[in-house]
Structure formats: structure tokens, C-alpha cells
Amino acid sequence: MTATQDAGQTDLGPGGVGPTGAGPGGPGGPGRGEASTPGRRRGRGRARWRALWPSVLLGGVLLGAWEFVTRVLHVEEYILPAPDQVATTLVDRWDSTLRSATWVTGTEIVLGFAISVAAGLALGCALHFSAAARRALYPLLIGSQTIPVVVLAPILAIIFGYSITPKLILVALICFFPVVVGTLDGLASVDPELVRMMRTLHGRRVAIFTRVEFPAALPSVFTGLRLAAAYAATGAVFGEYSGASDGLGHVMRQGVPQLQSALVFAAIVLLTAMSVALFALVSCAERLLVPWHRNPTREGNTQ
């Protein structure tokens, strides 16, 4: 190849998607890319705020209406406490009651969620590899979700007592199904042309799975993980309602007959905060592990 041909050839970046711009003035070089990075970050921050402010505004309006109704109508605290009464109870009872209960319930949520993720991913991948196992087990998985958790919770409490074991089982059972379904659907929706290309390159089955199928299925997997994160607190509370010596569910169970409604609402606030935090953690993990995936709906809303 001549020097003229070398100069006219375009240098492609990783994956052949475009010019690398290795020089300071190139399209991808530091002269332009680094200068535009702060602007992009500010733009993303403004876009996220534009997406969040309607929810923040609506939440403020609802809290204001709640406070107004309880004050104007003189609603008794044991019937419906005002938001400021809930906040006061949250602060006053934190050291004596709520801190240890939050730690117990948070531990149950995190460990149960981790168990469900590990088991759900393993079973989903196993069912993807074996059509016979999928036909045999998938109907049983669907049938298992028809059993009410309220029925299982006391049975597990009888078998395992007041230990953490029945709570972990309940959380894992509730979170398990969305993870399995998300994994199976994601693996089944992989572009067959990519699999066919890997086979023409003599790719082994494991290589096709690790390099094509599983990465392509990650967006669907994380959809199931987000659903599971939203349901995790429900299993922990049901388990504590059926039998526990500590935890937010135990606090709520003790507070209802004593008409301590503000304490019950404070426990609900903490449960909601933990669920939102777990959901946000899964979303952050998705952004880090699946950077190539962008939700078209979210992109359209932020433009």
C-alpha cells in the first residue's frame, strides 16, 4: 500500500464504529472530547432534574394536603397522624426502637434479594440450555406464584421458628420469579443472526452464551431485578408479621393494637425508603454494567 493510500484510509475505533481521532484535534481526541465532558454532565443533570421535578412536586402537594386535612378537620392522631407527627415519632423513637428494627429488616431484604438473584439467574440460564427442563419446570414456577404469601408465612414460622430463615425464604420466593422470567425472556430474544455468526466462526456453546446471549439479555435481566427489588420489602414484612422478635414488621404489628399510628407510619416510611434505595441501586448497577443499553422512552423524555 502506498503512502497516499495510507493517508486516505480512515482509522476505525474499537468495533469499527468510527474514527478514533487520536490526535489532539481529532473528533475523539482530548481537545474536543474533554472540553465537552462538563457540558454533557451538566446537560444530564438538568435532564434528570426535569424528569424528577414532577414527582417531587406531586409528593409535596400530597404531603401538604395530608397535613392540611388532619389539622383543619382535627383528625385524631391514632386515626391518621399528620406528617409532622410521623417525622417527630421517627426521630424520637429512632434510638429506642426503629434503628434496630431497620437494621433487622434491611438485612433480611438484602440477603433475601441476593439469594433470589443468584438462584433466579442460575435457574433461568439452566432452563435456557435445556428445553426439556424448561417444559417440565416452567409451569411449576408459574403455579408456585399462585400460592399466597400470607399462607406460606405462618407455615415457615412454624417450621423454622422466629429466626431469620423464614424471612429470607419469603423474600427469595417473592423476588425469585421476576428474575427467572426476565432472564429467560432476555435469552430467548437474542438476535438469531448474532448466534448464527458465532457458529460460522466455530464458536462453542459456552462462548456463544458468554459473548452474545448473556450480554444481550442483560437489559431484560435488570428489568426483572428492578421488579424484584420493589417486592423485596413485602416478603420481609410478611415474615415478621407471622413471627419475629424484632424488625419493622414486628414494630407495626405491636403498634396497631396499641393505636400508635404515628409509629406505624414511621415504619412504613422506612420500608419505603429501603425499597426505593434498593431499586435505585439496581438501576445504578444497570447503568454501569449495561452502558450500551438506553431506554428509548427515557431518552425521548429527556430530549
Side-chain angles (χ1 to χ4, degrees):
M1 184 180 293
T2 65
T4 305
Q5 290 174 327
D6 288 340
Q9 186 177 11
T10 301
D11 186 16
L12 296 181
V17 294
T20 58
R32 181 175 177 179
E34 291 181 2
S36 60
T37 298
R40 286 199 299 267
R41 290 177 180 174
R42 286 194 295 268
R44 290 174 183 173
R46 287 192 295 266
R48 290 173 185 173
W49 169 247
R50 285 197 299 268
L52 287 176
W53 78 261
S55 300
V56 175
L57 179 61
L58 179 60
V61 170
L62 292 176
L63 285 176
W66 180 5
E67 183 79 26
F68 177 80
V69 168
T70 53
R71 296 303 182 187
V72 172
L73 299 181
H74 303 288
V75 180
E76 295 292 339
E77 181 181 352
Y78 69 88
I79 297 177
L80 181 64
D84 68 316
Q85 294 172 332
V86 176
T88 301
T89 303
L90 183 59
V91 173
D92 293 342
R93 300 291 297 272
W94 174 253
D95 289 331
S96 61
T97 304
L98 293 176
R99 179 165 56 183
S100 64
T102 302
W103 173 258
V104 170
T105 303
T107 302
E108 296 166 356
I109 291 174
V110 172
L111 292 181
F113 180 75
I115 293 172
S116 69
V117 171
L121 287 175
L123 182 59
C125 294
L127 295 182
H128 172 70
F129 276 101
S130 175
R134 184 166 60 251
R135 289 192 298 267
L137 295 179
Y138 197 70
L140 298 179
L141 290 175
I142 298 175
S144 67
Q145 299 304 299
T146 63
I147 304 175
V149 180
V150 180
V151 176
L152 289 177
I155 296 176
L156 293 175
I158 293 173
I159 297 174
F160 297 102
Y162 285 5
S163 66
I164 194 175
T165 303
K167 289 83 170 177
L168 296 182
I169 294 175
L170 284 175
V171 174
L173 287 176
I174 290 178
C175 300
F176 176 75
F177 189 70
V179 178
V180 175
V181 172
T183 303
L184 277 176
D185 288 349
L187 292 173
S189 62
V190 176
D191 188 355
E193 293 297 329
L194 297 176
V195 178
R196 190 175 298 112
M197 181 187 67
M198 286 290 292
R199 288 174 178 168
T200 59
L201 297 175
H202 305 287
R204 296 180 180 272
R205 185 68 183 91
V206 176
I208 294 175
F209 176 78
T210 56
R211 298 184 180 185
V212 175
E213 292 179 334
F214 191 73
L218 281 177
S220 179
V221 171
F222 274 100
T223 299
L225 292 180
R226 287 197 299 271
L227 290 173
Y231 297 148
T234 304
V237 171
F238 272 123
E240 292 171 353
Y241 255 90
S242 299
S245 57
D246 201 356
L248 293 176
H250 174 72
V251 170
M252 295 167 63
R253 187 185 63 176
Q254 297 293 322
V256 170
Q258 298 176 14
L259 301 180
Q260 296 179 345
S261 299
L263 181 61
V264 174
F265 273 86
I268 293 174
V269 169
L270 292 173
L271 283 169
T272 303
M274 285 191 290
S275 297
V276 172
L278 185 59
F279 186 94
L281 184 63
V282 172
S283 299
C284 290
E286 180 182 13
R287 291 187 178 185
L288 292 175
L289 298 177
V290 197
W292 62 86
H293 176 69
R294 291 292 181 269
N295 191 326
T297 303
R298 287 184 292 184
E299 287 187 352
N301 291 337
T302 55
Q303 289 178 351

